[in-house]
Amino acid sequence: MPSGLVALALGGSGIGLTEFLIAGLLPQVASSFTVSEAAAGRLISGYALSVAVGANALAAATARLPRKQVLIGLVALFVVGNLLSAVAPNYPVMLLGRIVAALCHGSFFGIGSLVARSLVAPEKKSQAVAIMFAGLTVANVLGVPFGALVGERWGWRAAFWAVTAIGVLALAGIAALVPARAGRVPPATGADPALPKPAAGTDEAASDPVPPSGLRAQVRAFRSWQVWLTLAATALSYGGMFGAFSYIAYTFTEVSGFAQADVAWLLMVYGVGLVVGNLVGGRAADRDRALVLALPALTLALFGLLADSAAASVVLVFVMGVTGFASVPGMITRVTDFAHGAALAASANVSASNVGNALGAWLGGLAITAGLGYTSPLYVGAGIALSSTVVMVIAARLARQHSV
């Protein structure tokens, strides 16, 4: 494993911790700044909105810059944001720190995925992206308990100081371990050896290995129907899983018979599944993305049928985590293949996932409001995830026809 991937994964873990640890610190933060729970909650929603905006805005603004330098700048922005949060004298400065830290989130994973895949052989590109995302999935497992533990022992500011330190380490690691040529945008002619040429007959046969070097050229990559179909499949895949996950605590307590105190460790089981799914999915996605996308629909439907069994729920929430994140590395690889390595497309994939999250949570909530019960988000999620598979099958068929 190239050492540069370790540095990228460390950066991903720091960004993931920043996103998730605040949930365990909200009571302390609200008390410290004497604000309401709703105002404290805006430290989460404000972060999410900034991710959606920053993903495309920063990718567009840095289109012509060397990707290693962009990553270093993004992590530096991350450090500044968390430092602001750690020393914030009042709520507005705290919110500003959250917004600054969030701006780098989508662009880091979008551009970082291009750098990660350039560090390995072509047949391992999705595995490389999976390793980079491993830090984010670990943060899913540890983020909330990490924040709660550090906050309880040393105060909520200590948690942000710790994440700031992780950011500094990631910054040093990327500067020292990621090669200067990694993910570099080449001249207008000639192929970048970092971007492989796909084999004929695959769903990526139409991709061009030459990354565009300017914003206008990157925007032209969105003329490809394959880019839009992949973004749609990403949004629907995330939407299906998040629509179910948003209300999973109600499923556990109202259907499976667990106590409220059990929800925390059940979510840990889900988080462990995310880590496994990320690593396994990186390998599987290089072989059959449509199959990887089909597994969440099957898992969610089965979960809905067996949710009244506590034992089955434990097993299926783990499988839900495995299948839910397994498609992520492959979808990022696919969209950048068809966008000719455009960093803007990779960042758009992150934005698409956030759109899917909002869609899934909204539809799952509508199902509960309609009186369909606390298993209904699982079935709604299964339907959304299945539509993602249909979109990917259509996209792959069109790509094969184009390559003939």
Side-chain angles (χ1 to χ4, degrees):
M1 180 172 59
S3 55
L5 282 179
V6 178
L8 292 173
L10 181 61
S13 67
I15 291 174
L17 283 173
T18 297
E19 180 178 15
F20 297 114
L21 64 79
I22 188 65
L25 299 172
L26 280 185
Q28 294 184 43
V29 173
S31 175
S32 177
F33 294 133
T34 319
V35 296
S36 66
E37 292 84 352
R42 285 194 284 274
L43 296 172
I44 297 176
S45 58
Y47 185 98
L49 290 174
S50 299
V51 169
V53 173
N56 294 327
L58 286 182
T62 58
R64 290 186 176 275
L65 298 178
R67 286 172 181 163
K68 178 179 177 178
Q69 292 182 17
V70 174
L71 285 178
I72 290 174
L74 290 173
V75 178
L77 190 66
F78 165 79
V79 171
V80 170
N82 281 284
L83 186 59
L84 275 176
S85 295
V87 302
N90 51 48
Y91 175 81
V93 175
M94 177 70 175
L95 182 59
L96 176 62
R98 293 288 291 167
I99 291 172
V100 170
L103 289 175
C104 75
H105 185 124
S107 295
F108 177 86
F109 287 109
I111 297 170
S113 65
L114 298 174
V115 173
R117 57 180 280 171
S118 75
L119 299 176
V120 298
E123 66 273 10
K124 294 184 178 180
K125 55 190 178 183
S126 291
Q127 296 176 48
V129 175
I131 291 172
M132 190 200 76
F133 271 83
L136 178 62
T137 56
V138 169
N140 269 283
V141 181
L142 300 179
V144 175
F146 171 83
L149 177 63
V150 173
E152 181 181 348
R153 287 177 174 267
W154 299 289
W156 65 266
R157 294 182 187 275
F160 285 96
W161 278 114
V163 176
T164 300
I166 292 174
V168 172
L169 289 175
L171 182 64
I174 292 171
L177 302 176
V178 174
R181 61 164 292 280
R184 185 174 57 191
V185 178
T189 58
D192 182 355
L195 292 174
K197 293 182 178 180
T202 68
D203 69 339
E204 298 172 9
S207 66
D208 184 340
V210 182
S213 58
L215 177 58
R216 184 174 299 177
Q218 292 203 48
V219 171
R220 281 200 297 269
F222 287 87
R223 294 177 180 178
S224 168
W225 275 105
Q226 290 295 333
V227 171
W228 287 106
L229 288 171
T230 308
L231 292 176
T234 295
L236 292 169
S237 176
Y238 268 89
M241 189 56 60
F242 201 78
F245 178 73
S246 297
Y247 306 96
I248 198 68
Y250 294 105
T251 305
F252 287 142
T253 58
E254 303 299 326
V255 181
S256 303
F258 288 102
Q260 186 64 42
D262 294 321
V263 172
W265 70 262
L266 287 166
L267 293 180
M268 289 283 286
V269 172
Y270 172 80
V272 172
L274 288 179
V275 176
V276 175
N278 177 59
L279 298 177
V280 173
R283 293 177 176 272
D286 283 326
R287 295 175 174 83
D288 193 334
R289 292 194 184 109
L291 176 60
V292 172
L293 282 173
L295 294 176
L298 178 62
T299 301
L300 294 175
L302 189 61
F303 198 166
L305 291 172
L306 301 178
D308 57 350
S309 167
S313 295
V314 174
V315 174
L316 286 169
V317 76
F318 171 77
V319 178
M320 181 177 163
V322 172
T323 59
F325 213 84
S327 66
V328 173
M331 298 306 288
I332 290 181
T333 300
R334 190 180 198 277
V335 77
T336 51
D337 279 342
F338 280 102
H340 315 326
L344 187 58
S347 296
N349 198 70
V350 178
S351 294
S353 67
N354 280 274
V355 171
N357 289 351
L359 173 68
W362 177 62
L363 292 177
L366 286 181
I368 293 176
T369 302
L372 300 179
Y374 289 113
T375 59
S376 60
L378 292 166
Y379 293 117
V380 169
I384 299 174
L386 182 61
S387 66
S388 173
T389 308
V390 173
V391 170
M392 186 49 54
V393 169
I394 293 172
R397 181 169 298 178
L398 290 174
R400 283 194 295 269
Q401 291 174 355
H402 186 271
S403 66
V404 174

